């Protein structure tokens, strides 16, 4: 007999089988009795269904309220807020996978995703996950496939949701990728994510309901509601990040302004009218030039001579007064720290000049490349604070917040160089064509960033292999770029190539600067500094210098000599200095005078701290 609800609609059936006892057929009375009970059955079923539906809506509403609570709890970490919302959506929708993909550029007409977040339901079987991982090993990463799948691109470009009940029957679905990864996709629900300005900033996607059914309209409505909050969360964290970076930028700018100023007109007039000594009088073409022989003013005149000797003033139509002003302001924008100061910048530039002129690299490199290297040397440590990248990261400085933890200082040095060039009366590149100017700024950035030791380690293996195999081709853009980077490092570390007394003095200066950083690590950060920064372990300086030479310096200069034998005097000096440090090491620690072959591995472990 039919079961009806209060509106008379059939919502089910009731069936009685085999009357007992005796097996007699059901009578009319039996039918009447059952008919009397069925309305109550209908009411009970309807009430139960209404309760289940209201309970479901209550759970969904509560989940959305929890998402709102999540937004207020976490507004600083993009990944955390997205994953919180994804986890709640996945739990409520009861699906196997949930992912969020963010667009690289919301203004661009070309859809390109830059970041993806992925959650896997714990209810997925281990076999499913294992086969998925095997698929990742066989092919490109799953996140790469996720970022490049056509359904997500369609949703991002149209702004319309896509709900696919049977993926293999839909032409937009990439069945081949599905088979490669071993994760069988049955159903897909993908919706756009909007920001507060009603711009699409990404898409959210859920795959495979756990009960095997397709996603229905209620699922879609709920998921779209979740995605509204997801968009708000992303928007909030991006705004927070922008505010934080703006604060860091302002803090750095105020710090710079409080410390530096541009040079005076009197200073410019003085050097503009000065008689500039010849290269031979200054000795700046000597690879073994005495780094401490010139005073601060003489270094300006020597730098002017280098620009003139290399023909850059004439070739690039550099206004001489502007060049004087620029050099003086660059000098002023170096802090009075023990080692990474104006003298160090000049010495790096002098060695570059000597290598270019002595080894004949002028014939290999273009004039634009030479200009970028010389300017890069003079600017490569602008506004150095006497502390390294590791210290910026550990202390959470404004620089680290502004530039991140990769090549923090080097990015700051470059941006500071750009700031000086853009200051009124300082643009020594003003007469370059727009193409030359653009090329030069790119080369300048590469030159300054090349002084990051982490980058040196990343690129030197390729350089060593190319030189070792005799396969260096000056017509290949990448080969030229690597060579320029190695030149910058060779000049930056050039104190080790100078005569012993000069080299030792430079080593003691940089070590003193390191000790001051170590003191700050101990007092401000409550950290125990590593050996090279710990003044309590200053007796270990000879050993640390041996590690430095063997791990960083010697392989580089050996390789450069293979490329150009005219640089052999540099390598010879490194070898002599190494011998002197080894003598000191044996004198100070006779019981520990082990073979230097063990040094490189010890040193490389602390590279992150040194850089």
């Amino acid at each position: 007999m039919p079961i009806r609800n209060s509106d008379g609609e059939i919502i089910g059936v009731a069936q009685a089988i085999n009357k007992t006892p005796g097996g007699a057929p059901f009578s009319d009375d039996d039918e009447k009795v059952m008919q009397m009970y069925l309305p109550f059955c209908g009411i009970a079923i309807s009430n139960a269904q209404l309760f289940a539906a209201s309970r479901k809506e209550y759970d969904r509403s509560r989940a959305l309220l929890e998402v709102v609570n999540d937004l207020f709890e976490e507004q600083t970490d993009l990944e955390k807020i997205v994953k919180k919302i994804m986890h709640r959506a996945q739990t409520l929708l009861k699906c196997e996978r949930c992912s969020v993909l963010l667009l690289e550029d919301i203004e661009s007409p070309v859809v390109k995703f830059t970041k993806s977040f992925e959650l896997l339901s714990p209810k997925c079987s281990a076999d499913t996950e294992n086969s998925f991982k095997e698929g990742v090993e066989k092919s490109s990463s799953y996140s790469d496939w996720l970022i490049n799948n056509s359904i997500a691109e369609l949703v991002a470009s149209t702004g319309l949701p896509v709900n696919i009940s049977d993926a293999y029957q839909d032409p937009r679905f990439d069945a081949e990728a599905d088979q490669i990864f071993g994760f069988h996709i049955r159903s897909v629900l993908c919706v756009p994510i909007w920001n507060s300005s009603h711009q699409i900033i990404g898409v959210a996607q859920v795959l495979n309901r756990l009960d095997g059914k397709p996603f229905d309209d209620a699922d879609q409505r709920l998921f779209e509601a979740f995605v509204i909050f997801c968009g708000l969360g992303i928007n909030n964290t991006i705004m927070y990040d922008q505010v934080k970076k703006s604060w860091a930028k302002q803090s750095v700018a105020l710090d710079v302004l409080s410390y530096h100023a541009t040079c005076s007109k009197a200073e410019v007039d003085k050097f503009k009218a000065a008689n500039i000594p010849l290269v031979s009088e200054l000795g700046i073409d000597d690879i073994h030039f005495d780094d401490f022989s010139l005073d601060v003013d003489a270094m300006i005149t020597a730098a002017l001579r280098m620009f003139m000797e290399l023909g850059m003033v004439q070739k690039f139509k550099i206004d001489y007064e502007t060049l004087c002003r620029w050099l003086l302001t660059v000098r002023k924008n170096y802090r009075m720290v023990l080692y990474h100061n104006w003298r160090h910048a000049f010495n790096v530039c002098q060695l570059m000049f000597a290598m270019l002129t002595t080894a004949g690299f002028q014939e290999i490199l273009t004039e634009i490349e030479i200009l970028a290297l010389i300017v890069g040397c003079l600017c490569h440590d602008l506004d150095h604070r006497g502390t390294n990248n590791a210290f910026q990261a550990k202390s959470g400085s404004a620089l680290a917040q502004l530039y991140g933890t990769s090549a923090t200082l080097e990015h700051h040095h470059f941006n500071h160089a750009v700031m000086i060039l853009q200051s009124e009366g300082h643009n020594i590149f003003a007469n370059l064509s727009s193409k030359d100017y653009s090329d030069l700024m790119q080369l300048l950035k590469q030159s300054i960033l090349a002084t990051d030791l982490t980058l040196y380690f990343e690129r030197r293996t390729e350089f060593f292999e190319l030189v070792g195999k005799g396969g260096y081709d000056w017509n290949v853009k990448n080969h030229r770029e690597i060579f320029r980077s190695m030149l910058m490092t060779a000049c930056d570390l050039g104190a080790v190539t100078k005569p012993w007394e000069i080299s030792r003095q430079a080593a003691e200066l940089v070590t003193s600067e390191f000790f001051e950083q170590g003191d700050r690590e101990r007092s401000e950060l409550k950290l125990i500094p590593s050996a090279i920064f710990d003044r309590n372990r200053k007796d270990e300086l000879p050993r640390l210098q041996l590690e430095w030479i063997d791990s960083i310096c010697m392989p580089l200069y050996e390789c450069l000599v293979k490329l150009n034998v005219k640089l052999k005097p540099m390598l010879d000096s490194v070898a002599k200095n190494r011998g002197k440090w080894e003598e000191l090491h044996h004198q100070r620690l006779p019981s520990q005078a082990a073979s230097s072959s063990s040094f490189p591995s010890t040193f490389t472990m602390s590279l992150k701290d040194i850089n």
Side-chain angles (χ1 to χ4, degrees):
M1 299 185 71
I3 304 172
R4 301 177 186 273
N5 63 15
S6 58
D7 295 324
E9 298 168 330
I10 296 174
I11 58 172
V13 294
Q15 182 173 269
I17 301 172
N18 296 350
K19 185 177 179 179
T20 58
F26 292 104
S27 65
D28 291 343
D29 289 339
D30 295 327
E31 190 174 329
K32 288 176 183 177
V33 170
M34 192 168 183
Q35 201 166 17
M36 288 171 61
Y37 276 100
L38 289 184
F40 297 104
C41 185
I43 292 169
I45 291 172
S46 294
N47 287 346
Q49 289 174 335
L50 283 170
F51 177 78
S54 64
R55 181 72 189 184
K56 190 174 183 180
E57 285 305 313
Y58 169 78
D59 289 341
R60 293 186 172 200
S61 299
R62 188 179 62 180
L64 290 175
L65 285 172
E66 288 171 344
V67 169
V68 175
N69 185 58
D70 291 339
L71 286 178
F72 285 103
E73 279 187 353
E74 180 60 67
Q75 298 190 56
T76 62
D77 190 305
L78 180 63
E79 184 171 357
K80 281 184 180 177
I81 187 63
V82 170
K83 286 200 169 180
K84 271 188 175 183
I85 296 171
M86 286 166 62
H87 177 71
R88 295 197 184 280
Q90 185 184 54
T91 302
L92 206 60
L93 290 171
K94 295 181 174 59
C95 59
E96 292 183 0
R97 302 192 101 90
C98 182
S99 56
V100 167
L101 295 84
L102 301 183
L103 286 170
E104 183 176 65
D105 182 3
I106 62 175
E107 303 290 347
S108 173
V110 180
V111 173
K112 186 177 180 183
F113 297 108
T114 184
K115 189 177 287 188
S116 66
F117 305 96
E118 173 78 2
L119 273 186
L120 176 71
S121 170
K123 295 185 179 179
C124 278
S125 68
D127 290 340
T128 299
E129 184 61 6
N130 288 336
S131 63
F132 163 70
K133 286 178 180 175
E134 289 170 6
V136 170
E137 290 168 2
K138 292 176 187 174
S139 185
S140 58
S141 72
Y142 179 73
S143 59
D144 287 342
W145 171 81
L146 200 65
I147 284 175
N148 293 299
N149 83 80
S150 56
I151 295 170
E153 290 175 358
L154 176 67
V155 172
S157 59
T158 63
L160 299 173
V162 168
N163 190 346
I164 300 173
S165 57
D166 188 345
Y168 273 72
Q169 298 302 314
D170 194 293
R172 299 167 293 185
F173 179 70
D174 185 358
E176 185 179 345
D178 185 53
Q179 290 162 3
I180 288 174
F181 288 101
F183 176 75
H184 180 57
I185 297 174
R186 300 184 304 275
S187 53
V188 180
L189 175 57
C190 188
V191 300
I193 303 172
W194 306 84
N195 66 9
S196 56
S197 303
H198 205 65
Q199 295 170 299
I200 295 174
I201 58 174
V203 298
Q205 184 172 262
V206 285
L207 306 175
N208 298 358
R209 270 179 47 161
L210 290 173
D211 59 9
K213 295 178 181 178
F215 295 103
D216 56 29
D217 290 341
D219 292 328
Q220 183 173 322
R221 288 195 301 274
L222 178 64
F223 194 41
E224 286 176 331
F226 266 97
V227 166
I228 289 171
F229 293 109
C230 191
L232 288 172
I234 292 168
N235 195 63
N236 288 350
T237 52
I238 290 173
M239 285 177 64
Y240 176 84
D241 190 54
Q242 289 172 343
V243 168
K244 192 168 71 170
K245 283 194 173 180
S246 295
W247 172 85
K249 192 177 290 185
Q250 183 184 31
S251 176
V252 170
L254 289 172
D255 189 25
V256 168
L257 287 171
S258 67
Y259 190 88
H260 305 296
T262 57
C263 61
S264 67
K265 185 178 184 301
E267 287 178 300
V268 176
D269 290 342
K270 170 187 169 183
F271 284 97
K272 185 181 175 183
N275 180 38
I276 308 300
L278 298 174
V279 169
S280 56
E281 295 175 65
L282 293 163
I284 53 176
D285 58 344
D286 185 0
I287 280 177
H288 292 142
F289 171 81
D290 183 349
D291 288 355
F292 303 96
S293 62
L294 301 180
D295 62 29
V296 289
D297 283 349
M299 286 187 276
I300 294 290
T301 57
L304 286 166
R305 172 54 65 190
M306 284 188 268
F307 273 86
M308 291 187 285
E309 192 69 22
L310 291 168
M312 291 185 287
V313 174
Q314 301 87 341
K315 166 64 183 176
F316 298 107
K317 298 181 175 61
I318 299 174
D319 179 74
Y320 191 71
E321 182 178 330
T322 301
L323 179 60
C324 292
R325 184 180 296 108
W326 176 80
L327 278 168
L328 287 164
T329 298
V330 166
R331 181 179 74 179
K332 217 158 197 164
N333 279 263
Y334 274 90
R335 299 194 179 205
M336 300 298 288
V337 295
L338 288 169
Y339 182 74
H340 291 96
N341 49 36
W342 161 246
R343 181 173 295 281
H344 168 66
F346 171 79
N347 289 335
V348 172
C349 184
Q350 179 277 322
L351 187 54
M352 179 66 76
F353 175 80
M355 290 176 73
L356 288 170
T357 53
T358 302
F361 291 135
Q362 277 180 284
E363 300 168 13
I364 295 168
L365 297 169
T366 66
E367 290 167 320
I368 287 279
E369 287 175 313
I370 291 171
L371 179 59
L373 289 170
I374 292 295
V375 173
C377 288
L378 290 170
C379 296
H380 83 282
D381 272 334
L382 273 169
D383 194 47
H384 199 292
R385 283 93 189 284
T387 53
N388 61 9
N389 285 333
F391 184 86
Q392 309 307 318
K394 291 173 190 173
S395 62
S397 70
L399 287 176
Q401 293 183 47
L402 183 57
Y403 299 111
T405 55
S406 176
T408 304
L409 288 169
E410 289 73 23
H411 279 101
H412 177 57
H413 303 324
F414 170 70
N415 285 345
H416 202 94
V418 173
M419 182 186 74
I420 293 173
L421 285 166
Q422 290 178 344
S423 300
E424 186 177 356
H426 289 78
N427 190 0
I428 58 174
F429 306 146
N431 294 319
L432 271 67
S433 68
S434 58
K435 183 183 183 307
D436 283 348
Y437 186 88
S438 176
D439 291 344
L440 179 59
M441 294 307 291
Q442 185 63 33
L443 291 168
L444 179 60
K445 184 173 186 178
Q446 289 173 1
S447 298
I448 293 176
L449 294 186
T451 58
D452 176 19
L453 275 182
T454 302
L455 184 62
Y456 161 67
F457 261 86
E458 287 174 2
R459 305 205 72 176
R460 76 172 191 171
T461 301
E462 185 180 359
F463 177 66
F464 293 171
E465 288 177 354
L466 284 169
V467 174
K469 294 175 182 176
Y472 225 87
D473 187 345
W474 299 109
N475 294 316
V476 176
K477 182 181 178 182
N478 183 52
H479 289 198
R480 297 177 74 88
E481 184 182 332
I482 295 174
F483 173 67
R484 292 194 306 271
S485 295
M486 294 300 123
L487 272 186
M488 287 298 298
T489 303
C491 294
D492 194 20
L493 310 181
V496 75
T497 69
K498 299 301 176 76
W500 167 243
E501 289 304 326
I502 301 168
S503 183
R504 178 173 180 170
Q505 189 177 345
E508 288 174 347
L509 282 172
V510 74
T511 302
S512 297
E513 187 177 284
F514 281 177
F515 286 163
E516 289 194 356
Q517 176 178 312
D519 293 343
R520 291 184 63 185
E521 288 180 6
R522 187 177 275 110
S523 62
E524 296 174 21
L525 306 181
K526 309 304 178 188
L527 298 173
I528 298 174
S530 56
I532 202 165
F533 296 93
D534 192 346
R535 68 173 66 252
N536 297 329
R537 300 172 67 178
K538 60 184 178 183
D539 288 341
E540 296 180 41
L541 177 59
R543 176 182 67 81
L544 294 169
Q545 284 298 313
L546 286 170
E547 293 178 359
W548 171 261
I549 291 171
D550 289 346
S551 292
I552 306 289
C553 307
M554 190 70 81
L556 174 60
Y557 295 111
E558 285 175 344
C559 193
L560 285 170
V561 169
K562 288 179 185 176
L563 198 62
N564 192 317
V565 72
K566 291 180 181 178
L567 299 178
K568 192 170 185 299
M570 297 177 74
L571 180 62
D572 293 341
S573 288
V574 177
K576 287 178 184 176
N577 290 334
R578 189 196 183 287
K580 291 284 188 179
W581 287 116
E582 191 161 32
E583 285 177 22
L584 289 175
H585 175 59
H586 282 246
Q587 290 169 12
R588 296 189 183 193
L589 296 171
S591 63
Q592 298 179 26
S595 169
S596 62
S597 61
S598 64
F599 294 147
S601 60
T602 308
F603 177 81
T604 305
M605 289 168 64
S606 60
L607 175 64
K608 185 179 179 183
D609 285 332
I610 292 169
N611 190 36

